[in-house]
Amino acid sequence: NAGVTQTPKFRVLKTGQSMTLLCAQDMNHEYMYWYRQDPGMGLRLIHYSVGEGTTAKGEVPDGYNVSRLKKQNFLLGLESAAPSQTSVYFCASSYSVGGADTQYFGPGTRLTVL
Amino acid sequence: ILNVEQSPQSLHVQEGDSTNFTCSFPSSNFYALHWYRWETAKSPEALFVMTLNGDEKKKGRISATLNTKEGYSYLYIKGSQPEDSATYLCARDNYGQNFVFGPGTRLSVLP
């Protein structure tokens, strides 16, 4: 199993450009999450999904959109990138709601917006 | 948002020293607490999931305790080694909807 994978690993954007980050998991997990990690702030939840076709806002959703068309994939979109979105983005997945299930993380995507 | 706090923010210890850090969280409606180990340039890896007051978990030289009534958890590392250098994250599990992560404690173990 590859676990949780993220594409791309690195990206540099100019202000106003758009891009999509792809997260894929092969563990048949129901829940998927997008976090951003900034110095001194830990991991903050952007959006999450409790199943195929569903999404919900997390703590810091503004400026991002997500889609979960297939159970194994969770896409994070930036429609018009801003320098404040420079961050490291982590995707995670977990098996189910309840049961204190562990979240498994991808390797991260480092995004720089100039 | 239910704030999760961790202390200290960072610490340096000598190889062989034992150390511990704290995770504090709101105790109301507690469900579970997760500890993760996060090495630089890698992704966070799960250490423990703790659910019951008084829980104690152990993995090798690392152990954790949980007090859900007062809202804290301690992570202990016995005989620290350079390979223990990492950021240790705790996360409050809000019944599977999402986790609220603390800012982490960055540990550096000096040889």
Side-chain angles (χ1 to χ4, degrees), chain B residues 5-23:
Chain B
E5 299 176 351
Q6 291 185 249
S7 63
Q9 185 175 13
S10 65
L11 74 162
H12 297 79
V13 301
Q14 289 295 134
E15 183 175 354
D17 286 352
S18 295
T19 187
N20 64 85
F21 8 102
T22 306
C23 172

Side-chain angles (χ1 to χ4, degrees), chain B residues 17-73:
Chain B
D17 286 352
S18 295
T19 187
N20 64 85
F21 8 102
T22 306
C23 172
S24 303
F25 51 86
S27 56
S28 60
N29 298 318
F30 177 83
Y31 185 68
L33 187 84
H34 300 252
W35 279 100
Y36 284 82
R37 181 171 178 275
W38 193 1
E39 288 183 72
T40 302
K42 294 186 178 180
S43 52
E45 293 184 349
L47 282 173
F48 305 115
V49 180
M50 310 181 79
T51 56
L52 299 176
N53 185 46
D55 249 359
E56 183 169 343
K57 297 282 179 82
K58 188 174 181 181
K59 185 182 290 187
R61 293 179 292 99
I62 303 177
S63 61
T65 61
L66 179 67
N67 183 323
T68 61
K69 297 186 178 190
E70 295 181 44
Y72 64 84
S73 175

